[in-house]
Amino acid sequence: MINVTLIPAFSDNYIYLLEAENGEVAVVDPGEAPPIIEVLESKNIKPDMVLITHHHWDHIDGLGELLKWNTCPVAGPASETARIKLLDILLDEQSEFSFGGERVQILETPGHTKGHICFYFPESALLFCADTLFSMGCGRLFEGTPEQMWHSLQKISALPDDTQIYCGHEYTLANAQFCLEIEPDNEALQKRIEEVQSLRTAGKPTIPVSLASEKQTNLFLRAETPEKFTKLRGLKDRA
Ligand SMILES: [Zn+2]
């Protein structure tokens, strides 16, 4: 099993620290280095690997400083090498990749960016999906088409229900409010928004969330066709 620590960064980003049972340590999407180094120092550990999901600055800008503090290999999307300068291991869906003695499956999930990838750990049932899927939402389409994003979300939807979703931002409450406006009678959504409100009031993260919960509450994940998804994404962009 892999132990995951959330490291809040900027106003609403989450960086993730992964500690495997065999002692290996990884950092996912180091947007800024100081909060990561603080946590690593407090635990007296150093990263063996950095994992990158996509090229946006708030997911990679801390990379240089982190590597200066402790150098280690960086693994990320093969198709974004032009935008991510420090990649050592280039990943796509065919890659044989492992961390902490566990096989890691790479999902190519274009939409938010063209080369966005997610890291899926089948044995530990963890998914690091950054800006593809948010709790009750999904990433904005900066580079891909709505059809591509719909297919990317379908890929995630096909994973086991007990998969724990670790996304890139704490957007949950605003997303829940949007979903509830569209589906005011959705009981799972009503329950989840109460839970989210109390977590946020207590200053706690709403992440992780199970895929089972997202399948009931996330309208983007539940859109049956690309057309329905496109309409929903358009409404959210104008909200
Ligand atoms: Zn992004």
Side-chain angles (χ1 to χ4, degrees):
M1 288 301 284
I2 288 171
N3 184 52
V4 183
T5 305
L6 276 69
I7 306 175
F10 307 115
S11 56
D12 50 36
N13 278 73
Y14 287 128
I15 297 165
Y16 296 107
L17 173 66
L18 278 49
E19 293 171 87
E21 265 174 17
N22 71 357
E24 282 193 307
V25 174
V27 173
V28 182
D29 283 356
E32 56 175 345
I36 306 170
I37 294 171
E38 196 184 311
V39 173
L40 290 168
E41 279 180 338
S42 76
K43 288 174 169 273
N44 199 23
I45 54 174
K46 291 196 163 172
D48 299 291
M49 175 143 339
V50 176
L51 309 178
I52 305 281
T53 58
H54 68 295
H55 68 76
H56 283 159
W57 67 271
D58 59 324
H59 296 254
I60 64 169
D61 268 13
L63 196 48
E65 195 181 334
L66 182 63
L67 294 179
K68 207 180 274 180
W69 181 74
N70 174 70
T71 186
C72 67
V74 181
S79 60
E80 293 193 352
T81 45
R83 313 286 293 271
I84 312 167
K85 301 294 177 202
L86 295 163
L87 290 184
D88 303 297
I89 302 168
L90 308 183
L91 300 172
D92 60 29
E93 255 172 24
Q94 274 69 51
S95 300
E96 301 271 332
F97 184 65
S98 66
F99 166 77
E102 257 191 56
R103 185 172 64 87
V104 183
Q105 201 178 319
I106 307 302
L107 306 182
E108 290 172 11
T109 53
H112 179 69
T113 65
K114 271 186 191 156
H116 195 299
I117 58 171
C118 299
F119 295 91
Y120 174 51
F121 293 71
E123 286 168 51
S124 293
L126 308 173
L127 178 74
F128 297 90
C129 54
D131 297 357
T132 295
L133 179 76
F134 298 123
S135 183
M136 292 173 277
C138 73
R140 279 180 188 270
L141 307 179
F142 288 116
E143 296 174 14
T145 65
E147 288 76 15
Q148 281 177 320
M149 188 58 135
W150 181 79
H151 281 289
S152 296
L153 294 177
Q154 292 295 302
K155 259 185 214 180
I156 293 175
S157 185
L159 299 177
D161 274 357
D162 66 349
T163 305
Q164 295 296 303
I165 307 288
Y166 289 88
C167 58
H169 291 270
E170 180 60 65
Y171 290 159
T172 312
L173 187 54
N175 287 343
Q177 283 157 346
F178 172 80
C179 286
L180 200 62
E181 270 175 38
I182 309 230
E183 275 191 8
D185 299 327
N186 181 331
E187 281 177 23
L189 195 50
Q190 293 164 355
K191 228 176 116 191
R192 172 81 171 131
I193 200 168
E194 271 176 34
E195 180 187 281
V196 165
Q197 269 162 340
S198 64
L199 283 169
R200 295 311 289 154
T201 304
K204 290 181 182 161
T206 62
I207 305 303
V209 59
S210 73
L211 184 58
S213 166
E214 287 301 301
K215 280 183 181 175
Q216 290 183 310
T217 58
N218 188 327
L219 302 193
F220 297 91
L221 197 61
R222 288 176 45 202
E224 295 107 340
T225 61
E227 291 70 30
K228 281 188 181 171
F229 173 80
T230 305
K231 198 176 158 203
L232 204 55
R233 188 61 256 181
L235 279 174
K236 181 72 162 62
D237 289 341
R238 292 188 294 274

